[in-house]
Amino acid sequence: MQQKPFRFLPTALPGIEAMQADSRLVFGRHMHLQFGLGVIERGAQKSASGRGIVESGPGDTITVNPGEVHDGMPLDERGRAWRMLYLEPALVAPLAAEVHPGPLGSAFEFHAPTMRDARLAAQVLALFDAATHRPNHSAAALHVEECLLHVLSGLLRPKGHQQSAATITRARTMMDDDPTEPWSLAQLADAANLSRYQLVRQFAQATGLTPHAYLLQRRLQLARHLMGAGTPLADVAAASGFADQSHLTRLFTRSFGITPGAYVRARG
């Protein structure tokens, strides 16, 4: 039987999503609302991130921050295999406050998109195994928290302040709070106290996406949430702000490499 390119596994702790992948797919520019943390197990890939163009090979640890725009493509026709954990910010925040006590608050991030460090990769894989091996065991959550603290202590850094990001915060928050609203550029620019031209330019500088592209990504994230909650696919498109199911399918596949139907099947 042919191996599925994506497998989502049950985990021992709420707020953690685990995925195994083996694929030659090229992913378009997209983002996640969680912290992403994983290890390349076979092959290699090239990706654009909010921190530049990087290449990752076997044994490399890869990361992505919430809202960080990135893509991914294999370096050859053999593709690549990797394991990935997605961590909800609400799970990471209190642990980060313990790892980095002080006035950091929520201002932390993974400091590098790819790292060649055998010890770190082993820690990440140990975390993956702890999260997915016997997830219903009574002591599993305790083991996961310990592994997670070890990993976060070596990866989190204070997040630098960007003036352009602060300027467009209000417009970004409006789209975050209600991604299904048909926002106009004038509404968003007024909220940021910028001209429409200034908003488009500063928004792209801060996020890597134009306001329109960002709004579509927020709608895709809402669609993923609805699929994970068991909403029928026929209802997901309208509920997440897309014109129809074909529009959702086209953009979802471009961003995540699989169709909404395949994503639902992979999640079980």
Side-chain angles (χ1 to χ4, degrees):
M1 180 181 294
Q2 187 176 9
Q3 183 179 356
K4 294 180 179 180
F6 300 96
R7 291 180 59 219
F8 290 87
L9 307 176
T11 63
L13 201 64
I16 298 181
E17 185 177 83
M19 182 190 74
Q20 284 183 296
D22 190 333
S23 173
R24 293 177 294 176
L25 290 170
V26 174
F27 298 95
R29 289 164 62 84
H30 67 283
M31 66 183 186
H32 301 276
L33 301 183
Q34 308 105 319
F35 290 90
L37 174 64
V39 173
I40 301 288
E41 296 188 289
R42 179 190 58 78
Q45 72 172 13
K46 179 179 181 180
S47 58
S49 74
R51 297 159 287 178
I53 303 292
V54 296
E55 292 187 2
S56 306
D60 288 353
T61 298
I62 54 176
T63 73
V64 63
N65 289 301
E68 182 177 3
V69 177
H70 60 289
D71 59 16
M73 63 180 296
L75 292 187
D76 58 42
E77 69 282 355
R78 294 172 296 176
R80 70 286 199 211
W82 69 103
R83 285 195 264 177
M84 202 77 184
L85 293 168
Y86 293 100
L87 314 174
E88 292 292 339
L91 171 66
V92 174
L95 297 174
E98 296 177 31
V99 171
H100 292 287
L104 262 182
S106 60
F108 51 85
E109 63 184 357
F110 290 149
H111 65 86
T114 185
M115 288 152 283
R116 184 154 297 173
D117 183 325
R119 180 173 175 272
L120 174 61
Q123 288 181 332
V124 174
L125 291 175
L127 171 60
F128 189 98
D129 289 340
T132 59
H133 180 62
R134 300 178 66 189
N136 296 320
H137 191 275
S138 60
L142 174 62
H143 189 199
V144 174
E145 285 185 315
E146 290 179 355
C147 292
L148 187 54
L149 281 167
H150 283 303
V151 170
L152 294 180
S153 67
L155 284 177
L156 290 177
R157 294 289 186 274
K159 188 174 183 179
H161 175 75
Q162 292 181 313
Q163 183 60 43
S164 58
T167 305
I168 56 92
T169 294
R170 176 57 181 155
R172 185 173 182 171
T173 300
M174 289 165 63
M175 289 187 280
D176 290 342
D177 289 345
D178 191 356
T180 62
E181 177 72 19
W183 298 108
S184 71
L185 198 55
Q187 287 175 302
L188 299 172
D190 286 345
N193 197 28
L194 297 169
S195 71
R196 287 174 292 181
Y197 172 72
Q198 288 172 325
L199 176 68
V200 171
R201 185 177 62 179
Q202 293 191 27
F203 205 98
Q205 289 174 345
T207 69
L209 296 171
T210 66
H212 173 255
Y214 181 84
L215 183 62
L216 291 179
Q217 284 295 315
R218 290 295 302 178
R219 291 179 177 181
L220 287 173
Q221 295 300 331
L222 176 57
R224 284 179 58 142
H225 172 75
L226 292 172
M227 293 175 205
T231 304
L233 279 179
D235 300 329
V236 169
S240 52
F242 290 95
D244 51 41
Q245 192 166 342
S246 64
H247 187 209
L248 167 63
T249 298
R250 185 169 66 254
L251 293 179
F252 194 96
T253 304
R254 183 189 305 165
S255 290
F256 305 120
I258 56 175
T259 65
Y263 175 77
V264 170
R265 291 191 295 273
R267 291 184 61 95

